[in-house]
Each structure stands twice: as C-alpha cells, then as structure tokens.
Amino acid sequence: MVRLVINKIKRKIRKVISQIKFLKWIDAFLRLKKIQRKFDYYSNNDIIEDNNENAYSIDVINLNATDICNSGCTMCNIWKQKKEFEFSAEELCEILKDPLFNNLKHVGVTGGEPTLRKDLPQLFEAIIKAQPNIHGLSTITNCIREKNVIERIDASIEICKKYNKGFSMMVSLDGVGEVHDKVRGTKGNFESALRVINYYKNKGVSIATGTTISKVNVWGVDDMLVFLRENQIYGRFRVAEFIKRLYNDNRNEVIRNFDKDETYHLILFFYKLILTYEKDPTFQNTYYSIINILSGGERLIGCPYHSNGVVLNSKGELAYCAPKSKIIGNAIQQKAQKIYAENLSELSYIKNNHCSSCIHDYHAQITQNEVKNRNIKSYWKEYLKIDSIIPFSKHEKVKAQKISENMQIFITGWYGTETVGDKAILAQIIAELKLEFGTKTDIIVTSLFPHITQRTIEELDLQVTVIDAYSESFVAYAKGSELVIMGGGPLMDLDELALPLIAFKLAKTSGHRNVVYGCGLGPLFIDRNIRVVKKILYLADEIKLRDNESVRLANKLLNSSKNVVMTGDPAKRFVDQYQKQKTQKQKPILSCFLRELTYEYFRDKNYDVFLEMKQNFEKGLAEFILNKAKEINAEEIRFDHMHNFVVGNDDRDFSRYFIKNYFQSSEVKVSYNNRLSTVDSIVESMQQSQHNICMRFHSVLFAETLQTSFSAIDYTSGGKIFNYLSDCDKLGCLLTVDGISKLGK
Ligand code: SF4
C-alpha cells in the first residue's frame, strides 16, 4: 500500500517535471524567436533608380542658411569664406515648393553660423509655409554672439510654436573650458555656449551638445563626458570628417589623423558612450559604426543621404550630401526634382567610392550585412550561455578548425575586458607555452571584445590569433585545438563561466586536453555558478591555481579527488622579469592605483549601509593619501590606472571624481594620467615612485613583485588581495576597508 502511494507521488512529480520542462522549451523557443525578431526591423534603404523624375522625393534637408561663420575652428575653413549671394526667405519658399520636397519631414538649418542671418526666423517660416506638413525643424549654433543667438533662436521657436511644429537645437561644444576655445579659435566661447545652453534648458527647449573630435581635443573627450553628466546636459559625439561643404580638405593635420593610441582611446571612449551614456539604439549604432571604422573596418550604418536627403546651400545649390558630393545644380534656376534625378551618377560615385569609409555621423539603420552579423552573434551568444536554449549537440555541425599543421592551443577566459594585470597574465602564459611546446605552435585567444585584445597583443608583441568569443570560430577552434586552456583570471560569479565550460566540453568530445592555468577561485556565492566551476574543474586534466586559498576551495569542490597545484599568478612571473632587468630612478612621488569600491564584495551588507560605508571609505582614503604624502615628503600625488575600459570600470573615471571631490585644497601637487596604461607604463610609474598605494589586485601584485614600498587596500574583504599577501608573507602592507573607513568618520 505504502509502495503504491510512493509510486503515485513519484509519477505526479515526474509529470510536473515534464510539464516544467515543456514550458521551459516553449519559453526557450519564444526567446530564440525574439532574438531573430529583434533585428528584423533593420533594413538598409537604398535608392532604386527610376526613369521618371517624379519618382524622387526626399525626407530631410541639410539647409545651409549661410556660407560664412564668425568662429575660427581648427577643423573647418568655412569661416574663411567671404559673404556672397544668400537666398531670401521668399526665394527659399519657392525652392521648397518643388515636388522633390513634397514628403519633407525635417529640415536642419545649419551654416556656417545660421544665427548670423537676421532673417533666420523668416527662413523657418518660409520652410513651413512651403511644406506645411513638415514634422520638425532644428538648428545648430556656436553661441559666439550670444545676444543675437538667443534673440534669433527665440523668434524661430515662436514661429515653430505658431505653426505647431517640433523644434530642437544643438550647440557645438568640443571640450571643457580652454579645450573648446582652442578648437573653436574663439576665447570665451565655452562660457558663452554654456550660458546659451542653460538659457534654453531652463526654457524647456530640446537641446543637445555636439562634440566634434579631432586631433586637437581627442584627449579631452572623457572630461567632456564627465562635464555633460555633472551638468545633466545631453550630448552627442562625432569624429571630424573631411567635408566638401566646409572646405576643409586641407585640414589633414587635425582630421582623421589619429595615432595608434588616440585611435584606441577613441574606441574605448565610444564603447563607454554606448554602454553607459547613449540610450537611443540609432545613435548607439552610429557609435558602433565609428568604432568599426576606427578599427580599420567599414561603415556599419546606411545614410539618409543615400536616398532620403539632400543638401541645399545658401546660394540655392543642391548636393547629394555634405561630405563628398559636388554641387549638382541650382534650385533657384532649375527644378530641384529634375536636378536630383539627372545627376544620380554622382550619387552612385559617392556610394561606390566614399560611403564605406565615411565616418560622418548621419544616423541611419544598420546595413544588411551588419544585420546578418548581429544575428549570427546573437545565435552564438545564446549557444555559449550556461543555461542555453540551444542544445550542446548543435556543435556537431561545426567542423574542427586548425590554423596549420602545428600544435594548436586555445586560450579562453575574460579577455576583452583585460586589466594591465590580465595583459601580463596572457603574455606570461604564452611565453611559457612557447617554451614548453616550441615556437611552432598556433595560439588562439578568445575575446569578449576583440578590439581590446587585439590592442593587448600588439602592445606585448604576442604572436596569437584573436577571435570573437561569441562566434562559430569559438566552437571550431576549441574542437580543433590539442590543448584548451582557461587562462588566468578568477573563476567567479560570472555568466561568462559558460566559455571555459563549453570549451572544455568541446575539447573532451574531441579527445583533447584541458588545463586551468593560473586562475583564482571566487568570489562564488551563486549555487549555479559553484556547480559550473565544479564541472570545469572536473573536466580539467591539469589544475594550476594562483593562491593557496583557491587550492583549498578547489579541493573542497572536488572532494580532493584530483591533483590541484598552486603555481602562483602568471602575472607575477612576467613582472618579475622587469624587476631583474629594469630600474627606474626614484622621484618624490606618491602614486595611487585605485579603483571604485563596488558592491560585489560587500553583499552581506544592506545596499544603503554599503553606500554610507563607501562614502566614509573615500573620505578616509583621501585622508590616508594626504597623510602618506606628508610622511614621505612627496612633491606630487599621482593617480595612475590599471584599467582603461568601461567594462570592469575605467579607473580614470574614478580618479577624476576622486580628485575633484577630495583633493581640491591639497597642498601637494595632484595629477592623474589620462593616457592609456600598459604593463611597461605601470612598471615605470611604480618604480619611479617613492611609495605606491594599491587597490586594484594586480597593482598589489606588481608593487610587491617589483619590491617597491607599497600599501595595499583590500577591497576584496579578505579575498584575493588578502590571499596574495598572505602567500607572500606581506600582510603587514595590508589595509582593510573598515580601517580606512574609520579615518573618514
Ligand atoms: S559620403 Fe557619407 S554623408 Fe555622403 S552619402 Fe556617403 S555616408 Fe552619407
């Protein structure tokens, strides 16, 4: 009887489980469909040539109200133009009645400087009268003559209100303070621009800033972003382009003339905008496209001027686009639609010769090719997930890939988000592999952000192939490699644990070896992740960990069923070479390698309690730094950085904030390095300094290995920093967050 009841219960449980499974599959199916649908709405609207000129009509006009300017910009020559014929409001109205403009939705009134025209409001009215169904109008200004600017824009806004049309404006702002004035060649322009911005912000007018990036202001863009955030101003960023309309073909010393560091710095910056600032997917796509062009690729978005836009200058002349089109005719003398229809060979020429490399920020949908690429990436992102809805067996279709006949080694991990410490780890692992297996080995490194890892391998001159972690290549190379390595970094609570897990599974199905190489373990709080790490360890043929505590944890997870070895952090062996080879002359500098205090190590506390603690910690840390500077008679407190990428937190952002809030009245000179960090630059900085205050884990490791005088702040609450110092018997250098916070109370 009891047995019958138990069996009945068992059957019921099985039924519930199978129902849950079924629901899970339904959910999985719908999620997969959603991934596909997500990108379906993108398309690339290209013009289809038609023999009938009446077939052509456009949505948007870039209307140059004037061809003169009162600025003296370093990336433009329009201000060198002399005033010539300018259409009147009446003439403009006549031009815009042409059928080419019958579907007009938006006109951007630009220049030169449009507010130099006294009749600017009448121009706005002429546009609306000619095309009463227009949706909205906008303008852009340099705000140099702020009284005139406000007077003429106010009147233009009134016109738009009268006809119930949308209005928005953009203010050119290329940097903070002197940086802007230098770019614009106009003293005091930053302040006047700010007054105009505040005036319109207070009026509730839709206003944004536009920052044009050239060689002159490239290192000031992060300061600009901080300024915008602090002042709650919305801004957009563009890279200066050669633009026919601006007569700037000879400005090649400042336009698109970035060196390698500047280019990489901009790639990091545009990622920062996408991931933390810009919310609109259209503008995010423009930024992705800029990143791709900066990296040597092509434009990823279309352009409204391929089919929907036209440029109309103040003489009444038409062009297909501002950057590359020649003048195609005069709309005062000829029908605009006829001009547009009869010169399409010019548009084809532009598309065939310029568009793929054009970095100008005309916003549009992504190209068909990019739609395809994103769909593919989404699919592999879904496959390479811990709880993937795509069965593991799907990999069977993918062929194993070899670069050559050589032994092939596949290294995975969190590359793409690497700190300077992770760069050292990768360099050391590769050096050791080459030593063990010879130089005739092919090494593949997977990356979450291949642009970042590409830079790492160039910096360290590593002979490896970088592949996108979320791609078919991940599966193909993992299957084709004789050795698969989880290369450094911590096996911790990260969704990306799926990468080593799947790579190890693939290697096992192909009969190859797996190694956990120089990793740490933890923090691990989530049960699912603990199970995944356990699986990774079971799949490994060799386990080499970076500290004794990680070895203890691994043994616990494995019930001591496997051999786990403590080999130390590979970065330590890499930095050790510098200790032996190079010595820098010391200067009276106190260097700090800080990072923002984040919640992940304090999850036992309520978040509000954490925030209060964080504030006390920052105050206490500033106090500690100032006291230390006094103690060692430092002539300079310098903030340097182990990480420059927004994913994982750009330490330069923390320094900007920290200096602004706590070091304004410092008697000792305070500086921060806003340039890029490399293993070399960090070693040099540490060796030069009289004392180093280290917070980032690998800054502690670097400072200790280089045998410098240092203090270590354990933001890991007894985690990896404590473990490292304990292993090398340097706990005397350790400062706790609690201890520092007490100084701030
Ligand atoms: S050159 Fe640039 S602005 Fe001109 S049509 Fe091509 S993408 Fe658009």
Side-chain angles (χ1 to χ4, degrees):
M1 182 64 188
V2 176
R3 213 188 166 97
L4 272 177
V5 174
I6 289 173
N7 282 341
K8 204 173 166 189
I9 292 171
K10 274 185 178 171
R11 273 202 301 280
K12 276 216 160 169
I13 290 173
R14 265 193 226 115
K15 201 172 164 192
V16 171
I17 288 173
S18 72
Q19 277 170 346
I20 291 172
K21 271 191 179 164
F22 178 69
L23 287 174
K24 264 190 161 179
W25 275 106
I26 297 257
D27 178 54
F29 177 76
L30 292 175
R31 273 202 285 152
L32 198 58
K33 281 275 151 217
K34 205 171 148 197
I35 289 168
Q36 282 163 357
R37 262 203 321 270
K38 199 171 147 193
F39 296 106
D40 277 355
Y41 70 93
Y42 292 108
S43 70
N44 190 17
N45 295 329
D46 263 0
I47 198 159
I48 299 161
E49 288 198 24
D50 196 314
N51 291 333
N52 177 6
E53 72 185 41
N54 294 327
Y56 299 107
S57 74
I58 51 97
D59 294 350
V60 62
I61 303 177
N62 175 352
L63 192 147
N64 315 147
T66 182
D67 205 31
I68 54 166
C69 186
N70 52 345
S71 189
C73 295
T74 47
M75 67 293 187
C76 179
N77 285 331
I78 206 166
W79 51 275
K80 294 179 182 169
Q81 292 292 110
K82 296 277 172 280
K83 190 170 173 179
E84 291 180 41
F85 171 81
E86 284 176 348
F87 51 54
S88 65
E90 293 71 29
E91 281 164 327
L92 175 63
C93 189
E94 276 313 302
I95 295 171
L96 296 183
K97 282 179 184 165
D98 188 281
L100 180 67
F101 308 112
N102 279 354
N103 289 319
L104 198 60
K105 294 190 176 67
H106 187 92
V107 175
V109 181
T110 67
E113 169 55 35
T115 63
L116 291 179
R117 282 196 69 153
K118 284 186 191 147
D119 61 348
L120 185 67
Q122 286 74 44
L123 297 182
F124 271 78
E125 188 156 30
I127 297 165
I128 299 169
K129 278 188 172 167
Q131 292 297 334
N133 292 327
I134 191 167
H135 296 181
L137 299 97
S138 62
T139 193
I140 182 164
T141 173
N142 61 24
C143 305
I144 289 176
R145 286 195 206 158
E146 63 186 283
K147 197 170 152 284
N148 286 352
V149 168
I150 287 179
E151 190 186 296
R152 287 162 197 176
I153 291 184
D154 270 355
S156 303
I157 292 173
E158 286 311 310
I159 297 284
C160 290
K161 266 193 196 151
K162 182 175 147 192
Y163 291 96
N164 203 18
K165 301 296 171 195
F167 174 87
S168 62
M169 63 184 285
M170 185 171 260
V171 168
S172 304
L173 205 62
D174 292 338
V176 182
E178 285 174 4
V179 177
H180 173 78
D181 291 359
K182 189 176 169 197
V183 174
R184 295 273 151 182
T186 311
K187 232 176 177 242
N189 186 201
F190 177 76
E191 293 301 328
S192 66
L194 214 57
R195 284 192 290 272
V196 172
I197 291 167
N198 286 330
Y199 174 83
Y200 284 109
K201 249 180 85 183
N202 291 337
K203 267 189 119 178
V205 171
S206 168
I207 186 164
T209 58
T211 302
T212 304
I213 307 168
S214 67
K215 189 102 177 160
V216 184
N217 61 350
V218 62
W219 291 103
V221 289
D222 281 288
D223 289 333
M224 184 67 207
L225 182 60
V226 171
F227 175 84
L228 293 175
R229 285 192 214 265
E230 284 177 355
N231 291 281
Q232 290 169 5
I233 299 168
Y234 170 69
R236 292 214 288 272
F237 292 79
R238 61 168 70 104
V239 173
E241 175 60 286
F242 293 103
I243 295 183
K244 266 192 200 293
R245 183 178 71 74
L246 303 180
Y247 313 98
N248 65 1
D249 275 0
N250 64 349
R251 292 286 193 168
N252 34 17
E253 76 284 11
V254 294
I255 296 177
R256 296 189 70 174
N257 185 24
F258 303 117
D259 64 26
K260 274 191 173 182
D261 276 7
E262 289 161 347
T263 304
Y264 181 64
H265 156 68
L266 281 182
I267 290 172
L268 294 179
F269 178 70
F270 278 100
Y271 270 125
K272 187 179 284 177
L273 291 177
I274 293 166
L275 298 172
T276 67
Y277 184 71
E278 180 55 67
K279 302 275 180 289
D280 187 321
T282 304
F283 304 135
Q284 287 178 346
N285 283 334
T286 302
Y287 292 162
Y288 275 121
S289 179
I290 290 173
I291 289 173
N292 205 50
I293 297 173
L294 288 170
S295 318
E298 296 193 343
R299 188 176 172 96
L300 299 180
I301 53 173
C303 176
Y305 292 87
H306 284 173
S307 58
N308 294 327
V310 76
V311 179
L312 174 63
N313 74 17
S314 53
K315 293 178 194 147
E317 292 167 334
L318 289 177
Y320 287 115
C321 80
K324 304 297 169 201
S325 173
K326 68 178 187 191
I327 299 296
I328 53 172
N330 191 309
I332 298 177
Q333 294 152 8
Q334 259 183 301
K335 274 182 73 189
Q337 200 175 45
K338 194 172 164 59
I339 297 171
Y340 192 94
E342 287 181 356
N343 291 279
L344 289 170
S345 57
E346 169 69 3
L347 188 54
S348 298
Y349 178 82
I350 295 167
K351 288 204 260 180
N352 292 335
N353 293 282
H354 295 294
C355 294
S356 63
S357 62
C358 173
I359 208 163
H360 200 49
D361 67 331
Y362 286 143
H363 312 288
Q365 294 149 342
I366 55 174
T367 61
Q368 288 292 356
N369 203 25
E370 180 60 4
V371 173
K372 201 172 127 205
N373 290 339
R374 289 193 186 183
N375 276 333
I376 293 170
K377 184 150 178 158
S378 284
Y379 175 84
W380 289 108
K381 254 193 169 164
E382 185 55 47
Y383 180 71
L384 291 158
K385 258 165 74 172
I386 292 175
D387 303 312
S388 177
I389 54 176
I390 303 170
F392 177 69
S393 57
K394 276 277 173 192
H395 76 81
E396 278 159 20
K397 285 186 191 158
V398 179
K399 278 198 183 139
Q401 199 170 342
K402 290 275 289 176
I403 288 180
S404 72
E405 290 302 305
N406 295 338
M407 176 178 178
Q408 185 165 294
I409 303 171
F410 181 92
I411 303 175
T412 193
W414 324 138
Y415 297 107
T417 61
E418 55 263 36
T419 64
V420 171
D422 300 320
K423 291 178 187 185
I425 291 176
L426 185 63
Q428 183 62 24
I429 291 177
I430 289 167
E432 290 173 6
L433 290 171
K434 297 262 178 191
L435 210 64
E436 188 176 350
F437 300 106
T439 46
K440 281 197 166 179
T441 42
D442 295 324
I443 298 179
I444 289 135
V445 178
T446 75
S447 177
L448 299 166
F449 291 90
H451 296 129
I452 310 295
T453 310
Q454 201 59 46
R455 161 82 184 195
T456 298
I457 65 159
E458 280 166 27
E459 236 170 67
L460 291 160
D461 195 20
L462 305 174
Q463 308 306 313
V464 301
T465 304
V466 177
I467 60 158
D468 191 334
Y470 297 115
S471 65
E472 184 175 319
S473 298
F474 183 97
V475 176
Y477 282 122
K479 285 169 88 172
S481 301
E482 286 83 1
L483 188 58
V484 171
I485 288 175
M486 169 59 201
L491 291 167
M492 60 181 283
D493 278 328
L494 285 174
D495 289 339
E496 289 78 10
L497 281 170
L499 298 179
L501 176 69
I502 292 171
F504 277 17
K505 279 191 190 176
L506 290 165
K508 277 286 148 208
T509 54
S510 310
H512 295 149
R513 278 175 66 73
N514 291 323
V515 179
V516 173
Y517 202 126
C519 299
L521 251 63
L524 276 166
F525 295 110
I526 301 165
D527 284 347
R528 179 200 70 166
N529 293 342
I530 295 171
R531 284 196 299 277
V532 172
V533 170
K534 211 165 151 178
K535 276 186 203 161
I536 292 169
L537 295 175
Y538 272 115
L539 285 164
D541 298 288
E542 236 181 305
I543 305 170
K544 307 181 202 175
L545 299 183
R546 73 178 176 199
D547 59 74
N548 286 318
E549 179 56 19
S550 296
V551 172
R552 192 192 64 75
L553 257 172
N555 280 327
K556 192 175 156 202
L557 289 177
L558 295 165
N559 283 327
S560 300
S561 60
K562 297 182 90 165
N563 187 26
V564 180
V565 196
M566 204 296 248
T567 53
D569 192 311
K572 188 171 172 62
R573 302 192 285 283
F574 191 72
V575 175
D576 202 36
Q577 303 164 34
Y578 287 81
Q579 165 57 19
K580 286 170 191 153
Q581 288 166 12
K582 296 183 188 175
T583 41
Q584 295 288 332
K585 210 164 167 238
Q586 235 179 42
K587 295 177 185 170
I589 296 171
L590 172 65
S591 284
C592 304
F593 302 84
L594 309 180
R595 53 160 289 161
E596 190 188 349
L597 192 69
T598 45
Y599 189 44
E600 77 252 35
Y601 289 97
F602 301 93
R603 287 191 195 277
D604 54 327
K605 290 187 179 11
N606 167 300
Y607 191 62
D608 289 336
V609 174
F610 165 74
L611 287 182
E612 200 188 319
M613 184 193 83
K614 185 177 172 179
Q615 205 182 17
N616 288 330
F617 170 75
E618 286 173 0
K619 268 195 231 162
L621 184 56
E623 182 97 12
F624 176 74
I625 292 169
L626 288 166
N627 288 341
K628 195 74 187 173
K630 242 188 221 161
E631 182 192 315
I632 63 165
N633 282 326
E635 287 173 14
E636 185 181 346
I637 299 170
R638 189 171 61 192
F639 290 87
D640 218 321
H641 310 102
M642 296 295 287
H643 194 50
N644 301 147
F645 187 30
V646 66
V647 180
N649 294 339
D650 180 349
D651 294 339
R652 294 172 299 176
D653 286 335
F654 178 70
S655 290
R656 286 182 194 102
Y657 154 82
F658 195 48
I659 293 169
K660 189 164 183 204
N661 284 281
Y662 297 100
F663 290 86
Q664 290 309 308
S665 52
S666 166
E667 286 164 12
V668 184
K669 179 186 167 196
V670 176
S671 67
Y672 87 98
N673 180 6
N674 77 339
R675 300 297 165 110
L676 303 167
S677 304
T678 62
V679 174
D680 281 350
S681 75
I682 294 295
V683 168
E684 190 181 319
S685 173
M686 284 187 173
Q687 286 183 331
Q688 276 180 354
S689 303
Q690 209 166 314
H691 188 81
N692 295 300
I693 297 179
C694 305
M695 197 167 160
R696 277 270 181 199
F697 169 67
H698 277 103
S699 69
V700 176
L701 181 147
F702 273 46
E704 192 276 327
T705 309
L706 294 167
Q707 297 176 13
T708 66
S709 162
F710 73 99
S711 310
I713 297 155
D714 183 15
Y715 74 94
T716 63
S717 293
K720 58 188 172 184
I721 292 183
F722 179 90
N723 297 337
Y724 175 76
L725 291 175
S726 156
D727 285 350
C728 56
D729 206 15
K730 291 275 174 62
L731 281 174
C733 301
L734 186 111
L735 299 154
T736 62
V737 167
D738 275 350
I740 296 273
S741 302
K742 275 185 195 140
L743 293 173
K745 279 184 185 162

